[in-house]
Amino acid sequence: MILAIIMVFLWGANFPLEKEETIKIGISYPLTGFAASYGNGGLAGVEYAVNEINLAGGIDGKLIELIVEDDQCDPTESVRVANKLINIDMVDVLVGQMCSGAAEAMLPMVQESGTPMILTGTSKPELVIGKDYVFRIYLNDNKIGEQTAKYFYSEKNYENVAIILENNAWGVGIRNVFVDKFSELGGNIVFDEAIESSTQDMRTVLLKLQQANADALFFPVYKENFLKGAKEMIELGIDIPVYTGDSVYTQEVLSSEVSQGKRIIIGKLNLPEEFEQRVKEFSNRETNIITPMGYDAINLFAEVISKTGLNKEQIKNELSKISYEGVTYPLIEFDSEGDLKESQIDVKEIRDKTTVIIYSN
Amino acid sequence: MSIIIQLLFNGLIAGAIYALIASGFSLIYSTNKFIHFAHGATIVFSAYILYFFFTVLGINFWFSAIVAIAFGCFLGYLMNLIVYKQLSKKNASKLTLLIASLGLFIFLESLILLIFGASVKTIGLIRIERGIDFFGAFITPLQINIFFISLLLLFFLFFFMKKTKLGKAMRAVSDNKNVAEIIGISHQKIVAWSFVIGSGLAGVAGILISLEQNLEPIMGTNMMIKGFTAVIVGGIGSVHGAILGAFLLGLVENIGAWFLPTGYKDAISFIILFGFLLFRPQGLLGVKRADDK
């Protein structure tokens, strides 16, 4: 009798196996921890794109199923996330990653498994090298650092520049390229210090900056440190041009009174107001510079999968030769390493809680 | 000259903030004899409550500040009632209570993230302006207020512990809870009061810190490290020692960061922490007891 009941139960439980086949996209973003706001911004774009595609009937009739994991921008967590998404959930493709350290830990597994992945927010140049399954739609440190050095020396005629950087792989990477290029051009680095993401205040490092008599400050830090530093510079009466990186391109920074007049050096990419508004109407998550990249990454895969099906090698091959008109960039194309061909920058000044382009190369 | 004055100001401002954190932390330790790490989350939660009432709802600042302090008191009371008291009834060890406090800390931090999101929040009460010039060094009126409020706290806590009935009872429980029970002092009641008052101080700290700094859900971690170090330096269990330790820590960190790369600033506080733990575990004002092994 008991056996019969179990058999009936198992027979009944088999019905769900006939469920519709989906395209599984694994997402690895920091949704908690210090980089959570960037990860949530990216996820807002991802979810919006998936909603649009699924409402339109999916890709060749197959709906997209998102499997979202929180990597916390932590290398250990990233490996766990990669293992789960690739080996347990058996995703077809991957999108995400915000931090170079965490990506560095995850990407060898991604490459080995042959799962195509699009990175949407990590800039260490070496990450994609030798990994033909990994693509990036984010300007790498080499491009940003070099272009910034050229802009400082040739366009602004700054001779003595100070640097205060975030002490992590991104900050150090961009600093190294900038210092090499700026020195090669003939400029002097008169002050160069790293600050921790947990720093309580920056008054003493700013006091040192004040003594360095720099023409300008290059300040590649995350938004938390940017807001602290910008506030304390006003309080300490430090008034030199300040240039920061795209990591601060968020609504809370743009709308802060301490940010006004500061400048952001950013890859020539777009966050159209109308697009941002549509995402905000759809999602409760905050939007930021990563949002359109998340959106573009999903649409890139959708375009490729509609041509190749779910064969991972074919997806990789098709991605490597794609020319795609995205929201983020007018034309997304990859070089032989899987990095963006695009290398132009904009310098934007924060004015009236929005930005105005003051230089474009 | 202006550099020396500015370094002193920087040290005193940092020390005043650490003192706000360390005072409540130390008060709770004095009666409970375990490290209540979730105190950092109480500070952050109170600050977010102020943000919610004042910035989001647009309610009067002073009313919002009172709500934030009351919330801090209530949260502290609740943590003791639901977690620590229940564990103590089961004769949980100090290590178990310590782990529970870390669990509470992570839980509250995640709750803040869930409710308020990860983006940086600003209270926006005070316009950011160049500070007041003292011989070429700058300090803002808010920073002067934070400094004097932390000094006031020192006197308030000194008076409270020495002169009030509740303060004396807390000292009695702190010295020996069994003897205190024999003479009619309810250990459980005093513990509850220490959580209420200590967490109320966390509320005050949360308000002042939120006016001086931006709000982030994870800011409590660093606060607890600095608060804990200040308590060790000042003498664990000594409330006014903790405040003294906080100022010393702020000064040493900032003067040290002038001579060393700024990245070593946190390392300086750890070196001080280890130095005291190794060579003067009772801290500056703490008393070495026979059972301190």
Side-chain angles (χ1 to χ4, degrees):
Chain A
M1 179 65 184
I2 291 168
L3 194 67
I5 291 169
I6 291 171
M7 285 187 73
V8 167
F9 176 76
L10 288 177
W11 179 73
N14 272 339
F15 276 115
L17 287 179
E18 289 170 18
K19 72 175 183 183
E20 231 174 278
E21 203 183 330
T22 56
I23 295 164
K24 286 186 178 181
I25 301 185
I27 306 294
S28 171
Y29 272 135
L31 303 174
T32 57
F34 72 96
S37 62
Y38 298 109
N40 278 291
L43 189 55
V46 163
E47 287 173 338
Y48 183 61
V50 169
N51 183 58
E52 269 186 351
I53 294 165
N54 283 348
L55 281 178
I59 305 167
D60 292 336
K62 288 181 190 166
L63 297 181
I64 296 177
E65 180 187 347
L66 278 184
I67 300 165
V68 180
E69 290 292 324
D70 177 12
D71 62 44
Q72 297 171 25
C73 263
D74 175 72
T76 315
E77 276 302 301
S78 271
V79 170
R80 180 196 64 78
V81 165
N83 195 26
K84 178 178 179 291
L85 291 175
I86 295 167
N87 299 321
I88 298 170
D89 298 318
M90 309 260 212
V91 297
D92 298 302
V93 293
L94 287 156
V95 168
Q97 276 295 343
M98 287 302 312
C99 299
S100 296
E104 211 159 27
M106 177 189 205
L107 293 180
M109 283 180 76
V110 173
Q111 172 68 19
E112 204 177 313
S113 70
T115 310
M117 177 166 195
I118 297 178
L119 303 173
T120 59
T122 176
S123 55
K124 190 174 179 181
E126 295 79 13
L127 287 177
V128 293
I129 294 174
K131 298 184 188 76
D132 58 351
Y133 278 88
V134 181
F135 299 83
R136 170 162 51 195
I137 53 169
Y138 190 78
L139 238 58
N140 74 31
D141 297 337
N142 285 347
K143 289 173 178 172
I144 290 276
E146 268 189 43
Q147 298 290 344
T148 305
K150 281 184 196 166
Y151 169 71
F152 273 30
Y153 193 78
S154 307
E155 294 291 327
K156 300 301 292 183
N157 300 320
Y158 295 142
E159 286 181 4
N160 301 312
V161 168
I163 308 174
I164 298 176
L165 58 125
E166 190 94 15
N167 195 11
N168 61 17
W170 168 73
V172 173
I174 209 161
R175 174 245 172 232
N176 289 346
V177 179
F178 175 83
V179 168
D180 287 351
K181 189 71 191 175
F182 192 67
S183 305
E184 186 191 306
L185 290 168
N188 303 312
I189 303 296
V190 291
F191 179 68
D192 180 7
E193 281 207 9
I195 48 170
E196 299 301 320
S197 56
S198 60
T199 194
Q200 197 97 22
D201 67 75
M202 282 183 218
R203 279 180 287 271
T204 301
V205 72
L206 293 177
L207 188 58
K208 290 186 194 177
L209 166 71
Q210 208 168 25
Q211 301 304 308
N213 288 322
D215 299 327
L217 170 67
F218 184 36
F219 197 30
V221 292
Y222 286 166
K223 60 184 180 181
E224 292 80 3
N225 275 340
F226 175 81
L227 288 169
K228 267 177 226 167
K231 171 182 173 283
E232 288 168 2
M233 274 186 237
I234 295 171
E235 290 173 352
L236 290 169
I238 298 171
D239 188 20
I240 57 170
V242 175
Y243 295 83
T244 184
D246 56 3
S247 55
V248 308
Y249 202 88
T250 59
Q251 202 47 51
E252 66 251 53
V253 169
L254 300 187
S255 59
S256 166
E257 60 173 309
V258 301
S259 310
Q260 305 309 306
K262 308 287 185 292
R263 291 154 189 184
I264 303 174
I265 295 172
I266 192 165
K268 202 178 193 62
L269 51 78
N270 305 311
L271 175 53
E273 217 170 274
E274 170 270 332
F275 168 79
E276 199 176 7
Q277 199 52 43
R278 271 192 286 140
V279 179
K280 275 183 179 159
E281 281 165 18
F282 165 76
S283 173
N284 288 329
R285 298 181 196 277
E286 70 173 288
T287 54
N288 54 35
I289 199 68
I290 308 299
T291 309
M293 289 188 213
Y295 180 83
D296 278 349
I298 296 295
N299 279 302
L300 272 166
F301 273 132
E303 167 125 346
V304 168
I305 291 169
S306 69
K307 290 179 191 166
T308 63
L310 290 173
N311 182 306
K312 291 177 178 176
E313 195 178 351
Q314 282 178 21
I315 293 174
K316 179 245 317 181
N317 292 338
E318 192 64 29
L319 259 182
S320 65
K321 55 187 184 196
I322 199 165
S323 279
Y324 179 81
E325 195 182 318
V327 172
T328 324
Y329 306 97
L331 191 64
I332 295 176
E333 287 180 324
F334 297 106
D335 64 16
S336 58
E337 297 292 356
D339 238 333
L340 263 183
K341 277 188 182 169
E342 178 75 62
S343 68
Q344 290 178 295
I345 59 160
D346 281 336
V347 180
K348 296 182 175 187
E349 187 167 295
I350 305 172
R351 283 185 209 159
D352 300 326
K353 302 188 175 183
T354 182
T355 56
V356 177
I357 296 177
I358 58 169
Y359 171 79
S360 229
N361 70 347
Chain B
M1 181 62 182
S2 67
I3 291 171
I4 298 169
I5 300 171
Q6 189 67 62
L7 280 174
L8 282 175
F9 280 172
N10 293 353
L12 291 175
I13 297 161
I17 288 172
Y18 299 160
L20 291 169
I21 302 161
S23 54
F25 187 52
S26 182
L27 187 76
I28 293 171
Y29 179 87
S30 68
T31 54
N32 293 280
K33 297 289 183 283
F34 72 90
I35 311 290
H36 172 51
F37 276 116
H39 187 69
T42 313
I43 296 172
V44 182
F45 222 139
S46 303
Y48 270 90
I49 293 294
L50 174 72
Y51 165 78
F52 178 71
F53 278 89
F54 176 68
T55 311
V56 178
L57 299 182
I59 294 171
N60 172 279
F61 174 77
W62 295 107
F63 178 79
S64 305
I66 290 166
V67 172
I69 296 169
F71 177 83
C73 294
F74 180 67
L75 186 61
Y77 175 77
L78 215 59
M79 281 190 276
N80 177 51
L81 185 74
I82 296 175
V83 181
Y84 299 133
K85 194 175 173 184
Q86 305 308 320
L87 286 171
S88 297
K89 273 184 189 170
K90 292 176 182 170
N91 289 325
S93 67
K94 300 290 179 207
L95 182 65
T96 309
L97 292 168
L98 177 78
I99 292 166
S101 78
L102 277 172
L104 272 173
F105 178 76
I106 295 165
F107 169 73
L108 290 173
E109 204 176 75
S110 305
L111 199 60
I112 295 167
L113 189 70
L114 192 72
I115 298 171
F116 296 100
S119 61
V120 179
K121 307 283 189 290
T122 314
I123 298 290
L125 173 72
I126 297 164
R127 191 174 163 75
I128 310 298
E129 286 173 330
R130 191 176 172 139
I132 301 164
D133 190 340
F134 281 98
F135 304 104
F138 294 92
I139 189 164
T140 64
L142 173 66
Q143 289 161 351
I144 296 171
N145 276 324
I146 291 176
F147 173 71
F148 282 109
I149 288 171
S150 60
L151 281 187
L152 264 177
L153 271 181
L154 173 72
F155 292 115
F156 162 75
L157 286 171
F158 187 79
F159 176 81
F160 172 76
M161 297 298 271
K162 294 276 181 193
K163 302 289 178 191
T164 65
K165 202 176 165 185
L166 186 59
K168 285 176 187 169
M170 280 184 182
R171 280 169 51 215
V173 170
S174 171
D175 281 344
N176 191 321
K177 69 172 183 179
N178 295 327
V179 175
E181 289 273 7
I182 291 166
I183 60 168
I185 297 170
S186 164
H187 168 236
Q188 286 299 345
K189 269 188 187 170
I190 294 301
V191 164
W193 271 112
S194 75
F195 268 97
V196 170
I197 297 169
S199 302
L201 290 172
V204 176
I207 291 165
L208 291 167
I209 291 170
S210 68
L211 294 177
E212 172 63 9
Q213 298 175 355
N214 299 311
L215 295 180
E216 304 161 48
I218 57 166
M219 66 198 290
T221 311
N222 199 39
M223 282 183 194
M224 275 329 295
I225 293 170
K226 297 300 163 76
F228 179 65
T229 309
V231 167
I232 296 292
V233 171
I236 197 153
S238 162
V239 179
H240 38 288
I243 296 174
L244 185 69
F247 278 109
L248 191 73
L249 178 67
L251 283 167
V252 173
E253 256 189 9
N254 279 280
I255 294 168
W258 175 257
F259 295 103
L260 294 169
T262 313
Y264 288 104
K265 199 171 166 185
D266 286 344
I268 293 168
S269 56
F270 278 112
I271 290 167
I272 295 170
L273 177 66
F274 292 136
F276 268 87
L277 284 173
L278 283 171
F279 302 111
R280 197 174 162 82
Q282 73 272 32
L284 291 171
L285 299 186
V287 180
K288 198 168 187 178
R289 296 160 196 245
D291 57 352
D292 285 346
K293 287 175 187 169

